[in-house]
Amino acid sequence: MKKIIHILLCAALLWPAISMASSADDGFDIMQKSHNVYEGDDSKSSMKMELINKKGKKRVREVIVWTLERKEEDKSLMVFMAPASDKGSSFLTWEHREKDDDQWLYLPVLKKVKRISAAEKHKSFMGTDFSYNDFTPPHPAKFVHQLTGEEAVEGQACYVIESIHKTHTDDPEYKKQRKYQYTRSQSWIRKDNYLLVKSIMFDKKGKRYKLFSATDIKQVDGVWTAMSMKMENLKNGHHTILTIGELRYNVGLADDFFTTRELDRPR
């Protein structure tokens, strides 16, 4: 979830003169810098979540999100406050550096905490256009990256990076692993602050699947932040918009707040 607050994962203007070797090296370096963008030691934010179908029908939810960044792992807790049908639902993520992430979901109607398995992480999160995978993108080292060009997004110069998850390559280390949800992606990374501002994800048939965009980018407590994020399903026209309201960084949260015990606590 932490990555989605600045985030997550149309055609680019390609630069044919860039060599394959240098573009691969530069692509990884850029994605590594984007992955490591400072997001505060911790944060608390209120967020509006809008689910909109292709006919314009809208469902609105209100959530509160807490995040914590540590050397070896990031943690986040999302709690739904409205509407009444979703109130009390909560989602906990531990994003690890060296191993698969842990995720848990609590739904009041079931009155139990459910651990999200690796086989479920490609599925939709709470009916949104974000999958569980989208909340915790894999480390850049798990992809092959190539700098393919540069292009402006909303007047800001960006690098354009193409990334292929190694489960979709011939890398022997990844040969027996479960295929990642997206075969490849194109990412637009701002040059000035390395924020991800746009990404196109492709499905396992190589077709355009989702479009992510981040807008209203500004500094909050000295941290570059995208105040609005949109994920669009390019196949069915449905999209989800996340808009941050009140946001504070470095509020002094502790590790013991981000445990499964907090998932079913009344708020």
Side-chain angles (χ1 to χ4, degrees):
M1 169 60 73
K2 282 184 69 64
K3 292 302 170 189
I4 205 164
I5 291 184
H6 65 77
I7 155 72
L8 304 158
L9 297 109
C10 97
L13 300 177
L14 302 181
W15 284 12
I18 300 175
S19 71
M20 287 292 288
S22 63
S23 63
D25 293 340
D26 292 343
F28 175 79
D29 181 59
I30 292 166
M31 295 305 286
Q32 179 85 329
K33 289 179 179 178
S34 179
H35 185 81
N36 292 334
V37 164
Y38 178 63
E39 300 172 280
D41 297 331
D42 58 50
S43 70
K44 179 182 178 181
S45 62
S46 61
M47 187 180 296
K48 180 170 69 173
M49 178 184 289
E50 300 173 89
L51 286 69
I52 307 168
N53 67 19
K54 63 180 180 181
K55 295 182 178 180
K57 186 177 180 179
K58 184 185 299 185
R59 296 168 55 198
V60 180
R61 296 165 171 168
E62 296 176 8
V63 300
I64 297 178
V65 181
W66 294 265
T67 71
L68 180 71
E69 184 167 316
R70 289 290 186 258
K71 184 176 181 180
E72 297 302 324
E73 63 186 6
D74 297 338
K75 297 180 180 180
S76 67
L77 175 63
M78 173 188 286
V79 177
F80 288 75
M81 307 304 291
S85 58
D86 294 315
K87 184 175 174 59
S89 299
S90 53
F91 178 54
L92 175 67
T93 295
W94 292 357
E95 184 178 351
H96 306 294
R97 299 287 190 271
E98 303 295 335
K99 60 180 181 178
D100 291 342
D101 301 323
D102 293 306
Q103 296 176 320
W104 298 268
L105 180 67
Y106 173 75
L107 299 175
V109 66
L110 300 178
K111 295 184 178 181
K112 68 176 183 179
V113 175
K114 171 182 172 58
R115 187 185 184 95
I116 306 301
S117 69
E120 297 175 296
K121 291 187 177 181
H122 70 284
K123 296 181 178 179
S124 166
F125 168 71
M126 296 287 288
T128 71
D129 297 284
F130 292 89
S131 69
Y132 292 96
N133 278 328
D134 293 328
F135 283 108
T136 57
H139 190 277
K142 294 186 178 182
F143 295 84
V144 176
H145 304 282
Q146 183 176 348
L147 172 62
T148 60
E150 299 181 8
E151 184 178 15
V153 176
E154 295 193 336
Q156 296 293 331
C158 297
Y159 299 107
V160 183
I161 309 292
E162 180 163 308
S163 305
I164 301 175
H165 195 273
K166 290 182 179 178
T167 56
H168 294 284
T169 70
D170 294 327
D171 190 318
E173 182 180 347
Y174 291 81
K175 187 174 183 179
K176 295 184 179 180
Q177 293 187 21
R178 182 185 303 275
K179 296 288 187 183
Y180 187 57
Q181 179 177 4
Y182 310 118
T183 53
R184 65 186 180 95
S185 64
Q186 287 179 302
S187 301
W188 282 253
I189 308 294
R190 270 180 50 161
K191 284 187 172 184
D192 59 342
N193 54 25
Y194 290 96
L195 285 187
L196 170 68
V197 294
K198 178 179 173 182
S199 183
I200 299 175
M201 287 77 84
F202 295 78
D203 66 15
K204 292 182 179 180
K205 294 182 179 180
K207 296 183 178 180
R208 287 159 48 110
Y209 179 18
K210 293 182 183 180
L211 171 62
F212 170 82
S213 57
T215 56
D216 190 16
I217 294 170
K218 59 185 180 181
Q219 284 189 310
V220 179
D221 297 335
V223 180
W224 282 106
T225 305
M227 302 300 289
S228 180
M229 292 148 284
K230 177 181 177 181
M231 183 71 86
E232 180 180 0
N233 186 315
L234 299 174
K235 295 183 178 181
N236 62 22
H238 195 282
H239 59 279
T240 301
I241 299 175
L242 304 178
T243 305
I244 298 175
E246 182 181 356
L247 169 62
R248 290 186 299 145
Y249 286 105
N250 302 323
V251 294
L253 299 175
D255 285 89
D256 58 8
F257 181 73
F258 297 87
T259 66
T260 54
R261 295 190 302 273
E262 292 291 325
L263 286 171
D264 60 354
R265 186 170 70 83
R267 289 178 172 82

